[in-house]
Amino acid sequence: MTVDRAVAPRALVWPMLTGVAVLAGCTAAGIGALSLADALTATGLPNPGPATTLGLPFVRAAGEIAAVLAVGSFLFAAFFVPPQRNGVLDADGYRALRLGTVASGVWAVCAALLVPLTISDVSGRPLVALLDPVRIWSVAGLVTNASAWRWTAALAAVVMLASLPVLRWSWTPLLFAGSLLTLIPLGLTGHSSAGGAHDLATNSLLIHLVAAALWAGGLLALAAYGLRGGGYVALAARRFSAIALWCWVAMALSGVVNAVVRVPIGDLFTSDYGRLVLAKFAALCVLGILGWRQRRSAVSRLQAEPDLPDARRALLRLALAEAAVFGLTFGVAVGLGRTAPPPPPNRLPSIPEAEIGYDFDGPLTPARILFDWRFDLIFGTAAIVFAVLYVAAVLRLRRRGDAWPPGRTAAWLLGCFTLLFVTSSGIGRYMPAMFSVHMIAHMGLSMLVPILLVLGAPVSLALRALPAAGRDDPPGMREWLLAALHSRYSRFVTNPVVATVLFVAGFYGLYLSDLFDTAVSSHAGHLAMNVHFLLSGYVFYWIVIGVDPTPRPIPPLAKVGVVFASLPLHAFFGVVLMGTRKVLGADYYRSLGLSWHTDLLGDQRLGGGIAWAAGEVPLVIVMLALLVQWARSDKRTARRLDRAADRDDDAELVAYNAMLAELARRDETPKRSHQPAD
């Protein structure tokens, strides 16, 4: 494919992208420098000097741009351009991969530099007085933001090193997931992680950061690809357009939730923080409208004629205009991070509100379990999205004239509702405050929800609903799903021994060590535990009773053996909890100061009883599911044999009867030869 050098001169690629980065960095530095003076005046801390005042927001802006560029580059290599037929990345995918490697390295360096800059900012000491890297790195654990930057630097360095030997497409989705993981420590700190309702604020910030990184990173990677004149510009633009739309929706909704939680309506126009929130929202609206109009025009032109110079110019205008607005948006975002939010009301928050994010009206009752809801933005939203996508896939099959078993649909929707109920009802609300309720949620997330979800056969539904790529067409979502199913990683985690160890080790490794005491007091710990419960339970029950095909199928008797080998370990774990006298998470639960929750040991023993008894329900459901699957398998085998008999006129049965007759004739011949003659 020819490249229009007048439209896409290679020399302009990095200057344009660098200009966007400098624009964002300068904007962030200016806003940060202005906001820092007010912050220092309010706190009474000494000025740490210009190196910290200007360096911290600039380095943070540069690091965040490198982070989104890494996300976008790995996203581009994984899903925007197809690999070669042997699975090796093509030239464009390899360039994007290496760009992601460099960006991850820059992100790691910036995050490492932000550790001393943050400590200098917090302590008010000049940066030159904090030049001992070993001491700074050890002290960083005492400062929340510095500790987050330390984790970010380590994660980004791991992603960079892991990407160096990669040449095949199969590793790029994992690198993409790793680049998103580097954003998590940043989302768990800052203004959203403190004060009232910080659970909603932190979850909304996590969604906001991931959506922004996907949109901005994909946009920068698309701009670089368009300037190079790649051969799949139309395909990349179409796929990016679909992602950008959903990212804009996620950013808008999560941004509104975060603003409502952090800033009272009256302070939006009277405080610097509120005005920055309005400026960011206005920039986001402009970005959404501008991007939607230009993407629609550019994609239609590129699909009609990918080599058309006007179409390429439209794509470049789209990428550069969105990137410029995104640079300003990131600058405002960094300014928000450097500006103190409006002071809270004179009312002092309660201890549970400061620790968890909300207060409790009283002890747990059945009425509060059913009606005292607090929506979980992560898992509640996931439950709703999973249900909607599943129903949309079923409707697509029906419009096509294909049937889908209603039992599978009912199981999936019931699983999604159970996930929503466990995380957002009174169970989810009281889960951080009571060990027994935490154990109810644990049992629900690791046993009940995964069983219902695997019985819904989502993989089989996706493979039937998603369109297949043509012989010469680039791979799409269906091909990506098949590649994931047949990958070495999938074969490893679906090994019965590995899946059982992951499933059972979550009980013993979490609760019988100091890990639970560390995780129970943090919002990140609760998120990590819930994710582990869901994923480990889903993989285990996918192997045992899953309707979807597994990369490593096992016979029915082996499935029964796996079930009976693992569930007694759960019961034994419950017995151990009921007999122990050490209170898990004692310091944290006592620090909440709940007058109606003082018998911590009794509550823990109740949790142990719940763990012991909860294994009975999954056992019954699993055995019923296995019996039904065996019966259906026997019926399918019988129907297959009947069809084969109809095709060959029972040739197999005739041959079998002939064999029996021959054996009978041979048995009769010796008897006749030994009979005496008359």
Side-chain angles (χ1 to χ4, degrees):
M1 180 177 291
T2 61
V3 179
D4 186 2
R5 297 297 178 185
V7 177
R10 186 182 298 272
L12 292 179
V13 176
W14 289 110
M16 289 184 178
L17 296 181
T18 305
V20 175
V22 171
L23 175 64
C26 293
T27 304
I31 296 174
L34 292 175
S35 61
L36 181 61
D38 295 337
L40 292 174
T41 301
T43 59
L45 291 175
N47 193 324
T52 300
T53 304
L54 298 176
L56 193 151
F58 188 86
V59 172
R60 176 168 178 173
E64 289 180 358
I65 291 173
V68 299
L69 186 58
V71 170
S73 299
F74 292 132
L75 172 67
F76 189 90
F79 303 116
F80 281 7
V81 291
Q84 303 179 52
R85 292 191 177 275
N86 58 0
V88 177
L89 292 169
D90 70 345
D92 294 315
Y94 183 77
R95 288 193 190 99
L97 173 68
R98 289 296 159 249
L99 180 57
T101 302
V102 174
S104 297
V106 174
W107 178 218
V109 171
C110 290
L113 291 176
L114 283 166
V115 174
L117 285 171
T118 301
I119 295 177
S120 173
D121 180 33
V122 171
S123 63
R125 299 181 61 187
L127 188 62
V128 293
L130 304 172
L131 294 181
D132 185 356
V134 176
R135 186 166 180 267
I136 288 296
W137 202 256
S138 60
V139 172
L142 303 176
V143 182
T144 302
N145 289 346
S147 178
W149 287 122
R150 186 175 60 177
W151 275 102
T152 301
L155 292 174
V158 169
V159 173
M160 180 199 67
L161 295 175
S163 66
L164 289 175
V166 172
L167 293 175
R168 303 186 66 84
W169 173 87
S170 57
W171 288 98
T172 53
L174 296 178
L175 294 174
F176 168 61
S179 64
L180 289 176
L181 188 62
T182 63
L183 304 175
I184 302 303
L186 181 63
L188 294 174
T189 58
H191 299 316
S192 295
S193 62
H198 64 257
D199 59 323
L200 295 175
T202 302
N203 288 344
S204 63
L205 181 59
L206 287 173
I207 297 173
H208 198 79
L209 283 176
V210 171
L214 288 174
W215 191 356
L219 180 64
L220 293 177
L222 182 65
Y225 186 61
L227 287 168
R228 286 197 305 266
Y232 291 95
V233 177
L235 174 68
R238 187 174 69 249
R239 290 180 174 177
F240 168 74
S241 180
I243 292 176
L245 175 62
W246 290 107
C247 288
W248 184 85
V249 173
M251 288 179 64
L253 294 179
S254 60
V256 169
V257 171
N258 195 279
V260 170
V261 169
R262 302 303 305 154
V263 185
I265 301 298
D267 291 335
L268 286 175
F269 302 94
T270 59
S271 65
D272 292 338
Y273 192 89
R275 284 189 286 268
L276 285 175
V277 168
L278 293 177
K280 183 180 178 182
F281 183 76
L284 183 61
C285 292
V286 171
L287 189 61
I289 297 172
L290 175 68
W292 175 75
R293 294 187 61 180
Q294 294 204 60
R295 279 194 304 270
R296 186 177 61 173
S297 174
V299 170
S300 61
R301 290 186 180 183
L302 287 168
Q303 288 178 335
E305 181 56 58
D307 291 330
L308 191 65
D310 290 341
R312 290 188 180 277
R313 290 191 182 95
L315 176 64
L316 295 179
R317 285 196 301 269
L318 156 71
L320 295 177
E322 285 196 41
V325 180
F326 236 119
L328 292 174
T329 306
F330 266 98
V332 176
V334 175
L336 277 174
R338 302 289 299 147
T339 305
N346 295 329
R347 180 188 65 85
L348 291 177
S350 64
I351 296 178
E353 187 176 0
E355 289 286 339
I356 302 176
Y358 51 86
D359 207 347
F360 300 93
D361 295 330
L364 184 66
T365 62
R368 291 194 172 103
I369 291 178
L370 296 176
F371 304 111
D372 192 4
W373 284 53
R374 187 176 181 84
F375 186 73
D376 190 300
L377 285 178
I378 301 293
F379 298 100
T381 303
I384 295 174
V385 171
F386 290 162
V388 171
L389 292 177
Y390 193 96
V391 172
V394 172
L395 293 178
R396 173 178 288 188
L397 290 183
R398 290 187 178 180
R399 285 194 299 266
R400 203 168 63 193
D402 295 339
W404 183 254
R408 296 181 182 179
T409 303
W412 179 267
L413 295 180
L414 184 58
C416 292
F417 175 76
T418 306
L419 174 60
L420 175 65
F421 184 82
V422 168
T423 56
S424 299
S425 69
I427 295 177
R429 186 181 182 93
Y430 280 78
M431 177 176 59
M434 299 178 64
F435 183 85
S436 58
V437 184
H438 168 86
M439 191 56 64
I440 294 175
H442 182 169
M443 296 298 106
L445 293 175
S446 64
M447 291 189 175
L448 186 56
V449 173
I451 289 176
L452 295 171
L453 293 182
V454 299
L455 291 178
V459 177
S460 299
L461 177 62
L463 292 176
R464 290 181 59 181
L466 292 173
R471 181 179 298 273
D472 297 326
D473 294 334
M477 293 183 63
R478 189 176 189 276
E479 288 70 31
W480 299 332
L481 181 58
L482 287 173
L485 287 175
H486 294 94
S487 65
R488 294 181 179 178
Y489 177 76
S490 296
R491 289 183 60 82
F492 173 76
V493 298
T494 54
N495 184 298
V497 177
V498 175
T500 303
V501 169
L502 291 175
F503 186 51
V504 176
F507 288 81
Y508 292 89
L510 176 62
Y511 297 107
L512 301 185
S513 67
D514 295 332
L515 187 59
F516 181 78
D517 291 344
T518 303
V520 70
S521 60
S522 67
H523 185 73
H526 285 285
L527 289 177
M529 286 189 288
N530 290 344
V531 170
H532 171 74
F533 298 155
L534 279 173
L535 293 182
S536 62
Y538 187 91
V539 172
F540 178 80
Y541 287 109
W542 178 24
I543 297 172
V544 174
I545 60 170
V547 182
D548 292 323
T550 61
R552 193 187 294 268
I554 59 176
L557 288 179
K559 294 181 178 180
V560 176
V562 170
V563 173
F564 280 99
S566 62
L567 291 183
L569 296 175
H570 288 236
F572 179 73
F573 164 76
V575 173
V576 171
L577 271 185
M578 287 189 291
T580 185
R581 299 193 61 82
K582 176 186 176 183
V583 178
L584 302 179
D587 294 338
Y588 165 72
Y589 288 125
R590 291 194 183 99
S591 69
L592 296 179
L594 299 174
S595 60
W596 43 266
H597 182 51
T598 56
D599 188 6
L600 300 182
L601 184 60
D603 185 68
Q604 180 173 296
R605 289 175 176 172
L606 176 60
I610 293 170
W612 172 70
E616 301 298 327
V617 176
L619 178 61
V620 173
I621 297 176
V622 167
M623 295 310 299
L624 288 176
L626 286 175
L627 290 175
V628 172
Q629 291 176 7
W630 286 348
R632 291 178 177 176
S633 177
D634 292 340
K635 291 180 180 179
R636 286 194 296 268
T637 302
R639 287 196 297 268
R640 185 173 65 252
L641 295 176
D642 291 340
R643 288 193 299 267
D646 293 337
R647 288 194 300 268
D648 55 16
D649 294 329
D650 286 338
E652 185 177 353
L653 180 61
V654 172
Y656 181 71
N657 290 334
M659 181 190 67
L660 294 179
E662 177 64 20
L663 292 176
R665 186 186 65 77
R666 291 179 182 179
D667 291 339
E668 289 294 330
T669 300
K671 293 180 181 180
R672 292 178 180 177
S673 62
H674 288 84
Q675 289 180 355
D678 292 338

